[in-house]
């Protein structure tokens, strides 16, 4: 039985190895300077790159983090510090509901909320959709991390004459900071790979754009277009772009783990 | 009388933990609070710097007078009270994200002490806590690298840095080994020259070794309060005698 | 009539002297609490806005089709008639296929990691499974199109058809994009979530349960079987439900491999469709307002189903591992 369990475990991680293998096999050879520095060429021609999508993803995800992280971390602090009552219960439940909500639904929500009233697709709308995904995720991880801080530290600070807010910020949150940053990075890594919420918000763009009020390309969107398109050249680019995306996402996840491991002190 | 309680009752969710305790604490002396587990001695201590009200469902009735002012009176800020009445806990609680230096300076920062005076106060506090010689070469290292006994003395230094008038100690040596315990006890005796100390302990030998006065709590009541020497040789209440002779607790 | 006044003096003094916790008594404390509370209120506000928007936009379709929307199979944009039956069927069917494949693997990972794996293997294996959750959906889709489907077509399906072709589940010609491909991709994607929660559940089983069984002379495997798994049963069911919640709402990878056809077929080899995939594919093509509204109703239906499944999952998991933030992270 132990052998069976071990084999099934190996089977579970086999796809990861296969996917990574294929990404390297089919994508690595396309990673050259042109791929990173140029924008798409007209369909049917060979060459071109995804500079526009890399920059676009950076802008969209950065904007989402800018909006989502403060709100999510603040909500998480609320849950840990003041969340014992009815309101806390409600917020916690709502966060879990939102965490379970399919991202495509967040996408059409952002469309009705921002795209339709404004009358045009925009990178901003996509960033809002990603932020809506990020907020409940970060709120719950922040809460867990803050809760890990021993009560005795809080008491020690209060006994020194720290006001409550300073106890919370400079002792409790500060102690949990590594964990909070890790949670934030993991959340950002997750939304960086999201495609569905961007379909009807940022829409995509074959040109290089840095205007957040206009449609913008993101790496996952570009992969979707290339993967489902008819041209072998597009498929080649899709593999290469996927390799870049996965390296970015895994890179963020690895940095997150390093932050968690490097925490100054114990919890 | 420096610090006194008048008919002090503390409750958790309405259930009294200590009832109508009236007790005067002598300045520049060590007052020990003893009693079996659950007798309310820690609760009593936590009422003296308004920490009890932070516990879940914690409420207080009666008065606690610090230099004649009721610390529970209207318009009194609990934060200000805690700056005058310092506290050391059962387990060492160094702030893990701070260096040794920053731990000692932590209370100074919230008190608005000028940065240039800080170094001097930190050194003095560490010296008072008999830790300076051991840590002076690694002030900016992690406080967690210290041993348990050193950490507890660091917490004492941290409490002393803000120059409180009263120092409350909640079983300050119970998590320490005998040698570290001895050092903390010696330190307490030195400190009483300048501070009013109230120490909760379950260790009767410790109470008799270090304290000048002792209060015995039983089931939330202050049963007896007297000079330590007298209480340990000639207790006036049968329950006190039973406790100090080891018949319960 | 005279009312005898009780001695209010003493009682009032007593309560006045009772000082409650002074949380936020200090203005800065109050401001801090107000700020974090306001940030936390963003969550209920968002959820409320989401529900309101979905409902308002779905309303024309709800009014027009009533319950028939859920139970009929006609999806005809030309005649402007919409029935989401095949989408709901496809969503449930692909998720069930996914769970059938994923649960044995996920439970194995959880059991292996908590009970049997040598210490040196636990961290790397846990990390690999965690990475599985970090792979973006669109990358799974790409891999599904270019690796999995050709593999199914050449290696898996011919013998499958030869052996089980008489079963209704393996009827018809296999073109690639199919319920089978969608189910497999979904299975790979939900394994890390089910494994992560199962692992927490198994870790929450008190070791006294394990030791009691071992003391009776059980082998380690028997201890797992007779003590650990039964103790964690509710939580494990919850973990599966959580995986189901994930699978139901997964969009991109499924869209890319499932075939996207409004049909109900029992055969795994035939194309299918899911609610999430339909929204992804047709939302920008919705030419009439009723078409758009129908897609919103699909979204609302999907939302309601996932909320119910997730709520049930949480309640079950909390029975063995109380208060955990279920599913915010893998492993």
């Amino acid at each position: 039985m132990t052998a069976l369990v071990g084999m099934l475990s190996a089977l579970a991680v086999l796809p990861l190895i296969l996917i990574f293998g294929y990404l390297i096999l089919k994508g690595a050879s396309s990673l050259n300077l042109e791929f990173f520095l140029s924008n798409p060429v007209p369909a049917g021609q060979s060459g071109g790159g995804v500079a526009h999508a890399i920059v676009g993803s950076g802008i969209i995800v950065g904007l989402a983090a800018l909006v989502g992280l403060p709100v999510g971390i603040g909500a998480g602090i609320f849950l840990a510090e003041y969340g014992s009552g009815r309101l806390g219960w409600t917020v916690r439940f709502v966060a879990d509901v939102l965490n379970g909500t399919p991202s495509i639904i967040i996408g059409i929500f952002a469309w009705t909320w921002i795209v339709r009233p404004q009358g045009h697709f925009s990178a901003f709308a996509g960033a809002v959709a990603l932020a809506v995904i990020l907020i409940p995720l970060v709120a719950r991880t922040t809460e867990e991390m803050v809760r890990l801080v021993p009560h005795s530290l809080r008491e020690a600070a209060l006994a020194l004459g720290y006001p409550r807010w300073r106890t919370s910020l400079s002792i409790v949150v500060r102690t949990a900071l590594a964990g909070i940053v890790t949670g934030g990075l993991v959340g950002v890594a997750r939304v960086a790979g999201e495609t569905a919420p961007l379909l009807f918000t940022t829409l995509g763009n074959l040109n290089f754009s840095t205007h957040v009020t206009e449609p913008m390309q993101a790496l996952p969107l570009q992969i979707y277009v290339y993967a489902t398109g008819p041209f072998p050249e597009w498929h080649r680019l899709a593999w290469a772009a996927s390799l870049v995306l996965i390296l970015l996402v895994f890179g963020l996840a690895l940095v997150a783990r390093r932050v968690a491991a490097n925490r100054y002190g114990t919890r | 009388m420096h610090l006194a309680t008048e008919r002090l009752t503390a409750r958790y969710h309405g259930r009294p933990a200590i009832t109508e305790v009236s007790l005067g604490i002598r300045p520049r002396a060590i007052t020990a609070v003893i009693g079996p587990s659950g007798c309310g001695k820690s609760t009593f201590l936590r009422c003296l710097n308004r920490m009890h009200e932070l516990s879940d469902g914690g409420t207080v009735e009666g008065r606690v007078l610090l230099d004649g002012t009721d610390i529970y009176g209207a318009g009194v800020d609990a934060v200000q009270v805690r700056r005058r009445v310092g506290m050391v806990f059962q387990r060492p609680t160094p702030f893990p994200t701070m260096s040794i230096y920053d731990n000692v300076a932590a209370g100074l920062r919230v008190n608005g002490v000028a940065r240039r005076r800080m170094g001097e106060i930190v050194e003095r506090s560490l010296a008072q806590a008999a830790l300076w010689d051991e840590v002076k070469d690694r002030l900016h290292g992690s406080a967690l690298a210290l041993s348990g006994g050193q950490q507890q003395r660091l917490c004492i230094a941290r409490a002393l840095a803000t120059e409180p008038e009263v120092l409350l100690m909640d079983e300050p040596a119970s998590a320490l080994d005998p040698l570290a315990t001895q050092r903390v006890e010696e330190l307490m005796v030195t400190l009483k020259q300048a501070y009013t100390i109230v120490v909760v302990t379950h260790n009767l030998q410790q109470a008799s070794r270090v304290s000048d006065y002792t209060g015995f709590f039983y089931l939330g009541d202050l049963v007896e309060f007297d000079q330590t020497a007298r209480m340990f040789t000639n207790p006036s209440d049968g329950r006190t005698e039973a406790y100090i002779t080891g018949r319960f607790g | 009539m005279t009312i005898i006044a009780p001695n209010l003096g003493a009682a009032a003094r007593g309560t006045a002297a009772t000082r409650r916790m002074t949380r936020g008594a200090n203005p800065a404390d109050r401001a801090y609490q107000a700020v974090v509370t306001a940030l936390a209120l963003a969550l209920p506000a968002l959820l409320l806005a989401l529900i309101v928007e979905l409902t308002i936009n779905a309303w024309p379709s709800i009014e027009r089709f009533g319950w028939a929307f859920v139970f009929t199979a006609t999806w005809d944009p030309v005649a402007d008639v919409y029935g989401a039956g095949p989408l709901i069927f496809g969503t449930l069917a692909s998720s069930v296929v996914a769970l059938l494949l994923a649960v044995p693997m996920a439970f194995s990972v959880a059991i292996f990691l908590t009970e049997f794996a040598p210490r040196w293997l636990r961290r790397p294996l846990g990390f690999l499974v965690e990475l599985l959750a970090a792979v973006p959906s669109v990358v799974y889709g790409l891999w599904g199109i270019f690796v999995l489907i050709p593999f199914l077509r050449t290696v898996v399906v011919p013998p499958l058809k030869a052996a089980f072709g008489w079963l209704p589940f393996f009827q018809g010609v296999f073109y690639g994009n199919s319920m089978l491909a969608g189910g497999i991709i979904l299975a790979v994607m939900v394994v890390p979530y089910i494994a992560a929660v199962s692992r927490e559940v198994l870790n929450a089983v008190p070791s006294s349960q394990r030791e009691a069984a071992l003391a009776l002379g059980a082998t380690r495997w028997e201890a797992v079987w007779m003590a650990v798994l039964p103790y964690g049963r509710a939580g494990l069911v919850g973990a599966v439900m959580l995986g189901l919640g994930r699978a139901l709402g997964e969009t991109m990878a499924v869209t890319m491999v499932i075939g996207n056809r409004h049909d109900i077929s029992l055969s795994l080899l035939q194309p299918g469709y899911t609610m999430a995939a339909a929204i992804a594919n047709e939302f920008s093509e919705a030419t009439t307002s009723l078409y758009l509204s129908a897609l919103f109703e699909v979204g609302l239906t999907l939302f309601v189903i996932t909320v119910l499944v997730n709520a049930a999952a949480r309640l079950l998991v909390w029975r063995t591992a109380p208060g955990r933030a279920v599913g915010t992270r893998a492993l």
Side-chain angles (χ1 to χ4, degrees):
Chain A
M1 278 317 268
T2 314
L4 179 67
V5 165
M7 261 162 55
L8 283 173
S9 300
L11 191 63
V13 294
L14 180 68
L16 180 79
I17 295 155
L18 284 176
I19 288 172
F20 217 68
Y22 272 98
L23 284 174
I24 292 170
L25 197 72
K26 298 200 167 199
S29 60
S30 305
L31 297 185
N32 49 33
L33 222 51
E34 186 194 11
F35 182 79
F36 287 104
L37 295 182
S38 59
N39 297 320
V41 294
Q45 294 182 22
S46 66
V50 292
H52 67 312
I54 293 174
V55 171
S57 266
I59 291 173
I60 295 164
V61 173
L63 211 56
L66 214 60
V67 179
L69 289 181
V71 180
I73 290 172
I77 292 173
F78 167 84
L79 285 175
E81 297 267 6
Y82 305 98
S84 54
R86 215 188 179 79
L87 181 62
W89 189 91
T90 310
V91 171
R92 200 168 290 121
F93 179 76
V94 165
D96 285 349
V97 167
L98 285 173
N99 274 330
T101 302
S103 57
I104 183 82
I105 289 177
I106 307 284
I108 57 175
F109 168 56
W111 180 84
T112 62
W113 213 32
I114 296 169
V115 176
R116 189 162 57 179
Q118 288 191 340
H120 59 86
F121 298 98
S122 65
F124 172 71
V128 168
L130 294 187
V132 173
I133 297 171
L134 196 56
I135 288 168
L137 207 62
V138 171
R140 289 297 260 141
T141 49
T142 300
E143 183 198 357
E144 285 215 329
M145 292 305 149
V146 173
R147 276 186 190 283
L148 287 175
V149 177
H151 194 64
S152 58
L153 280 187
R154 180 191 309 269
E155 293 215 312
L158 289 167
L160 271 182
Y162 272 62
R164 213 181 140 78
W165 69 273
R166 259 192 105 158
T167 305
S168 177
L169 276 184
S170 45
I171 304 297
V172 180
V173 172
R174 177 68 190 80
T175 303
L177 196 62
I180 294 173
V181 170
T182 301
L185 283 173
V186 168
V188 168
R190 203 191 118 189
V191 299
E194 283 284 356
T195 317
L198 302 182
L199 287 171
F200 320 119
T201 51
T202 70
L203 190 68
N205 189 339
L206 283 177
N207 300 309
F208 188 90
S209 165
T210 54
H211 297 284
V212 292
T213 55
E214 288 172 8
M216 193 182 279
Q217 192 60 286
L219 215 41
L221 272 180
Q222 187 68 71
I223 294 167
Y224 178 54
V225 171
Y226 280 159
T228 52
F231 309 106
E233 177 68 7
W234 280 16
H235 301 160
R236 180 182 70 80
L237 290 169
W239 281 107
S242 291
L243 182 58
V244 172
L245 179 63
I246 214 162
L247 288 176
L248 286 175
V249 170
F250 283 13
L252 273 173
L254 274 172
V255 170
R257 278 179 88 90
R258 290 301 289 272
V259 172
N262 272 346
R263 65 178 70 210
Y264 183 25
T266 53
R267 40 200 208 199
Chain B
M1 205 61 53
H2 185 194
L3 182 65
T5 68
E6 287 179 0
R7 307 187 64 172
L8 180 70
T9 298
R11 300 172 190 275
Y12 289 99
H13 297 289
R15 263 187 315 116
I18 54 169
T19 320
E20 307 245 325
V21 173
S22 298
L23 172 62
I25 288 164
R26 271 65 171 179
R28 292 168 204 278
I30 298 179
T31 302
V33 180
I34 61 169
S37 314
C39 67
K41 55 190 193 295
S42 282
T43 306
F44 172 74
L45 196 73
R46 292 166 61 87
C47 288
L48 300 182
N49 67 341
R50 296 191 60 171
M51 288 298 283
H52 174 64
E53 65 199 42
L54 297 168
S55 309
D56 197 23
T59 55
V60 174
E61 296 149 37
R63 307 209 298 167
V64 176
L65 300 172
L66 179 62
D67 284 338
T69 310
D70 181 10
I71 64 170
Y72 288 94
V76 175
D77 185 357
V79 168
Q80 297 306 322
V81 171
R82 295 185 198 123
R83 288 179 190 176
R84 291 178 63 189
V85 183
M87 192 169 201
V88 174
F89 296 85
Q90 191 167 353
R91 296 189 163 277
T93 52
F95 299 133
T97 56
M98 295 183 187
S99 66
I100 292 169
Y101 180 96
D102 288 335
N103 258 284
V104 181
L108 302 174
R109 297 224 158 88
V110 289
N111 274 312
V113 171
R115 197 166 273 279
R116 61 192 157 71
R117 283 194 51 220
M118 240 176 239
E120 163 202 334
I121 299 176
V122 168
E123 176 173 350
R124 192 197 62 217
S125 307
L126 284 168
Q128 277 184 319
L131 191 62
W132 174 252
D133 290 332
E134 293 162 55
V135 300
K136 63 183 178 204
D137 300 323
R138 47 171 166 153
L139 284 176
H140 296 283
S142 168
L144 294 179
L146 299 176
S147 72
Q150 289 173 322
Q151 287 188 7
Q152 191 63 309
R153 277 179 282 140
L154 176 67
C155 292
I156 294 172
R158 185 173 69 188
L160 295 178
T162 51
E163 299 178 4
E165 296 147 44
V166 181
L167 193 59
L168 308 177
M169 304 178 104
D170 189 356
E171 307 201 15
S174 68
L176 305 181
D177 62 63
L179 213 66
T181 300
Q182 196 193 338
R183 298 211 60 172
V184 170
E185 286 180 7
E186 285 164 9
L187 181 57
M188 287 163 70
V189 174
T190 323
L191 289 175
K192 78 171 178 186
Q193 294 162 11
Y195 297 92
T196 303
I197 296 177
V198 186
V199 57
V200 163
T201 179
H202 61 251
N203 181 336
L204 294 177
Q205 282 77 32
Q206 185 172 64
S208 66
R209 276 194 303 265
V210 301
S211 72
D212 304 296
Y213 296 89
T214 299
F216 170 61
F217 277 72
Y218 184 62
L219 299 177
D221 291 317
L222 176 63
V223 172
E224 188 168 349
F225 178 72
D226 211 332
Q227 289 184 10
T228 300
R230 197 156 356 147
M231 183 181 280
F232 276 86
T233 51
N234 188 19
S236 59
D237 192 289
R239 289 168 293 177
T240 317
E241 188 180 358
Y243 181 66
I244 60 180
T245 53
R247 266 183 278 149
F248 62 80
Chain C
M1 190 169 99
T2 49
I3 296 166
I4 299 166
N7 184 2
L8 271 177
R13 245 192 32 203
T15 40
T18 302
R19 269 94 198 185
R20 304 210 147 267
M21 301 202 288
T22 52
R23 279 189 176 173
N26 173 314
D29 281 353
R30 226 172 333 188
Y32 178 72
Q33 183 173 2
V35 168
V36 293
T37 308
L39 293 174
L41 285 174
L43 286 153
L46 280 173
L47 183 67
L48 203 67
L50 181 103
I51 293 170
V52 168
E53 289 282 4
L54 282 182
T55 312
I56 288 177
N57 284 289
W59 198 251
S61 167
I62 295 173
E63 244 182 347
R64 175 73 173 275
F65 303 113
W67 283 107
F69 184 81
V70 185
F71 295 112
T72 56
T74 316
W75 186 273
D76 187 350
V78 180
D80 228 10
V81 176
Y82 306 96
L87 299 179
I88 296 170
F89 170 82
T91 305
L92 297 177
S94 59
S95 299
V96 168
V97 172
L99 288 185
L100 286 178
L101 297 170
V103 167
M105 287 194 283
F107 280 5
S108 292
V109 168
I111 294 172
F112 191 63
L113 283 179
T114 49
E115 309 283 342
F116 297 112
R119 199 147 286 282
W120 60 267
L121 192 60
R122 288 184 189 192
R123 276 183 68 89
L125 184 63
F127 185 57
L128 283 183
V129 177
E130 192 175 349
L131 281 184
L132 214 48
V135 175
S137 178
V138 71
V139 176
Y140 276 113
L142 174 80
W143 184 77
I145 292 174
F146 295 108
V147 181
L148 179 67
I149 286 179
F151 176 75
L152 290 177
R153 188 160 41 215
T154 53
V155 179
V156 177
V157 171
L160 205 61
K161 269 188 80 83
F164 300 106
W166 48 276
L167 280 172
F169 306 117
F170 302 105
Q171 298 284 323
V173 183
F174 181 75
Y175 292 109
N177 285 353
S178 58
M179 198 64 96
L180 182 66
I184 292 174
I185 286 280
L186 276 179
V188 176
M189 295 181 75
V190 298
V191 158
Y193 292 95
I194 303 178
V197 180
S198 312
R199 189 189 188 187
E200 289 213 356
V201 167
L202 294 184
N203 275 331
V205 175
S207 52
S208 57
Q209 294 283 322
R210 222 165 265 129
E211 283 161 9
L214 291 172
L216 289 174
T219 62
R220 290 190 60 184
W221 177 253
E222 284 164 346
V224 170
W225 200 247
M226 60 189 259
V228 178
L229 293 183
Y231 188 96
R233 193 173 47 211
L236 294 175
V237 173
V240 174
M241 298 277 281
L242 192 91
L244 178 62
R246 287 271 152 198
L248 292 170
E250 180 44 52
T251 312
M252 298 317 294
V254 179
T255 310
M256 292 162 83
V257 299
I258 204 165
N260 302 334
R261 208 166 74 190
H262 287 279
D263 267 335
I264 295 185
S265 164
L266 275 184
S267 172
L268 295 177
L269 307 183
Q270 297 300 302
Y273 217 167
T274 70
M275 294 189 265
I279 300 171
N281 273 314
E282 302 186 22
F283 193 82
S284 50
E285 299 164 4
T287 38
T288 69
S289 61
L290 191 61
Y291 192 178
L292 195 65
S293 177
L295 286 170
F296 272 104
E297 192 177 353
V298 169
L300 185 63
T301 313
L302 177 60
F303 176 74
V304 169
I305 295 175
T306 50
V307 168
L308 291 179
V309 168
N310 279 310
R314 278 182 177 88
L315 291 176
L316 286 166
V317 173
W318 284 348
R319 272 170 61 177
T320 30
R324 292 304 175 79
V326 178
T328 44
R329 54 178 177 187
L331 296 180

